[in-house]
Amino acid sequence: MLEDLGAGGAVAGASGGEGELAAVLQALADPARLRVVEALSRSPRRAGDLAAAAGVPAPTMSKHLRVLLAAGIVTDERGARDARVRVFRLRRESVVAVRAWLDQVQAHWDEQLRAFKAHVEREGGR
């Protein structure tokens, strides 16, 4: 995960997870893929069900699912009875990684605000 934020909030000192986090955030930047993630957060689904939920044609959903799979946001399972049927599930680890990064950014800004408040209080007493 990310270790430090550089000047201006730029990401610095990443420990290798930077590329993975960037891929997840980029994949989530598309509104249709966000709808897929929201649908999968409720329950696993087949591609056709996800296409209907996201309001996109099946070929478009196939492209979106490839992006989500490549980013590690979803996994797919093939049924034992019919290998053509794929069920997609949300990978909890991808959500945890984004949340950890956001928590780190929040902690950085909380510290910046505490330092600013202390500075204002010191300067206000003059």
Side-chain angles (χ1 to χ4, degrees), residues 10-119:
V11 175
S15 62
E18 182 179 87
E20 294 168 16
L21 178 64
V24 168
L25 293 175
Q26 188 172 11
L28 294 175
D30 185 278
R33 290 192 287 267
L34 276 178
R35 288 191 295 273
V36 169
V37 169
E38 288 170 3
L40 291 175
S41 72
R42 292 187 285 280
S43 67
R45 299 196 183 188
R46 296 182 308 186
D49 298 334
L50 292 168
V56 299
T60 302
M61 179 51 59
S62 179
K63 292 177 185 178
H64 285 307
L65 288 169
R66 279 196 299 272
V67 171
L68 293 170
L69 283 162
I73 297 170
V74 301
T75 61
D76 65 328
E77 299 173 357
R78 297 182 190 270
R81 287 183 282 185
D82 188 351
R84 295 172 296 171
V85 176
R86 293 168 64 185
V87 176
F88 293 87
R89 297 178 188 281
L90 187 61
R91 283 189 67 242
R92 177 173 157 69
E93 298 85 1
S94 65
V95 176
V96 170
V98 172
R99 180 173 219 70
W101 179 74
L102 289 171
D103 288 346
Q104 190 174 14
V105 171
Q106 181 67 48
H108 169 76
W109 283 107
D110 288 347
E111 178 57 32
Q112 293 295 312
L113 289 172
R114 278 192 294 276
F116 180 69
K117 180 181 177 187
H119 170 74

